C-alpha cells in the first residue's frame, strides 16, 4: 500500500512539476465553458442545470484525458526509468494502480475547477444539486475508464504521441459503440446479439443515466469492470513490453 | 572458455545458464556466474556482447528464456519482490526521473525501499555523502551533467545498503577525479557485498575488480583475476597488457564469425 502511495505521489507531483498540469487545467476549464455557453446554449435554454456541460464532457474527455494518460508508461519506457522502477521491490499491478490513481486525482482536480459553473447555475436559478453531484461522480467514473484505457495504450509504446492517438481511437470506439457508426458496421457482419453486446459497452448509454442523477447497477458494473479490465491489460502490457 | 581455479564461498549472486533470445538473435547464450561476498566482479566485453542484457536478467528486469538468477538465494523470477530487496541496480545510462530534484528522487526511492522517517533520512544522508551530491540536492535531475546523473543513479542503488550491487557502467561520463571517487566507493562497499560492474574501461579492472569476466557474443570467454587475464594476450602465457588480452580473446572470435547477425 505504501508503495502504491509512493508511486501515486510521484506521478501526481510529476504533473505539477511540468507545464502539463497548468495547460491542461486551463484548456479543460475554457473548453468546458465554451461547450456549455455556446454549443450547449446554457442561457438560451432558460433551465438552471448543468446538462449542457455534462452532455459535452465525454467528448472533451475523449481528447483531453489521453493527454493525461499518455505519459504514464511511455515516458518511463522512453527515459529508461521503467528499468529502475521494475527492479525496485514493487509489483507491476501496484505500479499500474498507483499511476492510474494519480491520473484520476488529477482529473478530479480539473473537475473541481469547474465548480464556479455549478455556483453560477445556483445563482441563476435553483437546480437539482443532487443530480449535479451524481453527474460529477459519473464524470469522474467516466474519466477513470478513459484513464485505464489510456494507461494500457501508454504501456504499449515508448512514444507519447502514439499513446495519445491510440487512446483517443480506443476511447472513440467505446464512446460511440452504442451509436449507428459502430453498430451498423457490426450488424453487417455479425448477428444482432453481438451488436447488442457491443452497444452495452457504450459509455454514452451508461453515462446518460448518471447525468440524469441515476446511479444504476449496470452503470456501476460497467465502470468497475471496464476499469479493472484495462488496468489488468496494462499490467500485461508492461510485463510483456518492458524490454522494448 | 578459460577458467582459473578459485575458492567459492556461498554466492550472493548466482547466475545459472542464462539465455536470452531476441527473435532469431541470441544475445546471451548460457552465462553462469557465482559472485560471493567481498568480490567485485568486472564484466567486460565489446559493445553488443550481451553485458547489459545479462545484467538486466540478473536484476530480474528481463525474463530469461532459459536459466535462472538468484540474489541471496532468492530466484528473481519466482519471488521478484523479495529478491529485489537485496538488490541495488544502476541501469545502463543511469535513468532517473528528470523533472524531480535529487532529494525528491531519493526520497521516492527510499519510500519504495520501505524506508521511513529517520531511517529514510539517514539512508539518504549517507548515500548523498558517499556520492558527493550535497551541493545539488534541490536541482532538477534533468538539468544536471552526465557525471552528476550517474552519481544520482549510484546514490539510488546504494541507498538501502543492498547485499548485491549490479552497476552497469558506473563510471561512464565521469571525469578522472569522479572516477577515482566512485572506485573508492565501490571498494569501500565491497567488504560484505557482491558487486558486479560492467565497463569497457580496462584500467577499471586493475583499479577495483577482484575478478574479471570477459564475454563475447553472449558467452563467457575468460574468467579470472586481472593477472590471469593478462596471460591470455597474443604472446601466450606471458603477461601482456589487459587491452591486448581483451582484443585477443574477443576479436579472435568475432573475426572468425563476422556474420553473427
Amino acid at each position: 500500500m505504501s508503495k502504491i502511495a509512493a508511486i501515486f505521489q510521484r506521478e501526481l507531483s510529476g504533473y505539477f512539476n511540468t507545464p502539463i498540469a497548468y495547460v491542461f487545467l486551463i484548456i479543460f476549464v475554457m473548453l468546458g465553458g465554451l461547450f456549455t455557453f455556446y454549443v450547449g446554449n446554457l442561457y438560451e435554454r432558460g433551465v438552471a442545470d448543468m446538462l449542457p456541460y455534462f452532455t459535452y464532457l465525454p467528448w472533451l474527455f475523449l481528447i483531453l484525458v489521453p493527454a493525461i494518460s499518455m505519459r504514464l508508461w511511455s515516458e518511463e519506457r522512453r527515459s529508461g526509468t521503467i528499468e529502475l522502477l521494475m527492479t525496485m521491490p514493487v509489483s507491476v499491478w501496484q505500479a499500474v494502480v498507483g499511476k492510474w490513481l494519480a491520473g484520476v486525482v488529477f482529473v478530479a482536480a480539473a473537475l473541481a475547477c469547474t465548480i464556479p459553473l455549478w455556483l453560477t447555475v445556483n445563482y441563476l436559478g435553483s437546480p437539482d444539486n443532487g443530480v449535479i453531484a451524481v453527474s460529477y461522480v459519473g464524470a469522474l467514473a467516466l474519466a477513470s475508464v478513459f484513464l485505464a484505457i489510456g494507461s494500457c495504450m501508454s504501456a504499449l509504446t515508448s512514444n507519447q504521441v502514439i499513446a495519445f492517438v491510440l487512446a483517443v481511437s480506443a476511447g472513440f470506439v467505446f464512446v460511440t459503440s452504442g451509436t449507428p457508426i459502430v453498430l451498423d458496421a457490426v450488424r453487417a457482419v455479425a448477428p444482432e446479439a453481438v451488436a447488442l453486446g457491443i452497444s452495452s459497452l457504450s459509455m454514452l448509454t451508461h453515462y446518460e443515466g448518471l447525468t440524469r442523477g441515476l446511479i444504476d447497477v449496470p452503470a456501476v458494473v460497467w465502470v468497475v469492470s471496464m476499469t479493472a479490465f484495462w488496468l489488468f491489460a496494462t499490467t500485461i502490457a508492461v510485463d510483456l513490453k518492458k524490454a522494448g | 572458455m578459460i577458467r582459473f581455479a578459485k575458492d567459492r564461498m556461498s554466492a550472493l549472486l548466482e547466475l545459472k545458464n542464462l539465455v536470452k533470445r531476441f527473435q532469431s538473435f541470441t544475445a546471451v547464450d548460457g552465462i553462469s556466474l557465482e559472485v560471493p561476498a567481498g568480490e567485485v566482479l568486472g564484466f567486460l566485453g565489446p559493445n553488443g556482447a550481451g553485458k547489459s542484457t545479462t545484467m538486466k536478467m540478473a536484476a530480474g528486469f528481463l525474463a530469461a528464456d532459459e536459466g535462472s538468477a538468484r540474489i541471496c538465494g532468492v530466484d528473481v523470477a519466482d519471488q521478484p519482490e523479495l529478491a529485489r530487496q537485496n538488490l541495488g541496480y544502476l541501469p545502463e545510462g543511469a535513468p532517473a526521473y528528470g523533472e524531480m530534484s535529487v532529494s525528491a528522487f531519493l526520497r521516492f526511492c527510499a519510500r519504495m525501499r520501505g524506508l521511513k522517517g529517520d531511517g529514510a533520512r539517514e539512508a539518504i544522508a549517507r548515500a548523498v555523502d558517499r556520492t558527493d551530491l550535497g551541493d545539488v540536492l534541490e536541482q532538477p535531475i534533468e538539468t544536471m551533467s552526465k557525471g552528476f546523473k550517474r552519481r544520482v543513479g549510484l546514490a539510488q542503488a546504494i541507498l538501502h545498503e543492498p547485499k548485491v550491487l549490479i552497476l552497469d557502467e558506473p563510471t561512464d561520463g565521469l571525469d578522472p577525479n569522479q572516477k577515482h571517487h566512485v572506485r573508492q566507493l565501490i571498494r569501500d562497499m565491497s567488504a560484505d557485498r557482491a558487486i558486479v560492474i560492467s565497463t569497457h574501461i580496462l584500467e577499471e579492472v586493475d583499479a577495483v575488480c577482484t575478478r574479471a569476466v570477459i564475454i563475447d557474443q553472449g558467452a563467457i570467454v575468460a574468467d579470472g583475476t586481472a593477472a590471469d587475464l593478462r596471460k591470455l594476450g597474443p604472446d601466450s602465457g606471458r603477461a601482456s597488457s589487459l587491452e591486448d588480452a581483451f582484443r585477443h580473446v574477443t576479436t579472435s572470435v568475432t573475426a572468425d564469425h563476422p556474420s553473427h547477425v
Side-chain angles (χ1 to χ4, degrees), chain A:
Chain A
M1 208 55 205
S2 69
K3 283 165 192 168
I4 296 181
I7 288 176
F8 162 78
Q9 202 183 358
R10 196 206 69 71
E11 201 66 45
L12 191 61
S13 61
Y15 286 125
F16 290 96
N17 276 341
T18 55
I20 298 175
Y22 306 101
V23 171
F24 181 91
L25 292 176
I26 291 167
I27 299 288
F28 181 77
V29 171
M30 270 178 51
L31 285 180
L34 216 69
F35 276 130
T36 308
F37 292 106
Y38 290 95
V39 186
N41 296 325
L42 181 81
Y43 290 138
E44 289 80 352
R45 282 171 77 241
V47 184
D49 64 7
M50 287 182 68
L51 203 58
Y53 177 69
F54 286 112
T55 304
Y56 292 102
L57 197 54
W59 303 97
L60 201 55
F61 275 161
L62 177 65
I63 301 298
L64 289 184
V65 170
I68 292 299
S69 62
M70 67 183 186
R71 70 196 288 273
L72 288 177
W73 289 99
S74 301
E75 184 59 18
E76 296 266 357
R77 291 186 51 212
R78 192 196 56 76
S79 68
T81 46
I82 189 167
E83 203 168 334
L84 202 67
L85 186 64
M86 290 291 115
T87 50
M88 287 178 172
V90 61
S91 57
V92 178
W93 75 265
Q94 287 173 322
V96 167
V97 169
K99 280 169 171 285
W100 167 79
L101 268 181
V104 172
V105 169
F106 184 77
V107 173
L111 283 171
C113 291
T114 65
I115 283 179
L117 206 58
W118 192 354
L119 299 178
T120 304
V121 291
N122 269 286
Y123 172 76
L124 294 172
S126 43
D128 186 337
N129 285 318
V131 170
I132 295 178
V134 170
S135 301
Y136 266 113
V137 172
L140 190 60
L142 191 65
S144 67
V145 173
F146 273 124
L147 283 165
I149 295 173
S151 106
C152 183
M153 299 306 153
S154 176
L156 290 175
T157 169
S158 57
N159 183 320
Q160 291 196 24
V161 176
I162 294 177
F164 175 83
V165 173
L166 284 177
V168 172
S169 313
F172 184 78
V173 169
F174 281 102
V175 167
T176 56
S177 65
T179 67
I181 304 176
V182 170
L183 290 184
D184 286 352
V186 172
R187 283 201 184 96
V189 293
E192 182 63 26
V194 176
L196 267 177
I198 286 173
S199 88
S200 74
L201 288 177
S202 169
M203 287 184 179
L204 292 182
T205 323
H206 298 291
Y207 178 74
E208 269 165 20
L210 292 168
T211 55
R212 277 183 265 114
L214 198 71
I215 302 180
D216 60 350
V217 176
V220 174
V221 170
W222 180 81
V223 167
V224 172
S225 54
M226 280 289 278
T227 306
F229 171 81
W230 286 102
L231 290 183
F232 177 68
T234 309
T235 61
I236 291 178
V238 170
D239 242 350
L240 287 181
K241 303 271 294 184
K242 267 191 309 207

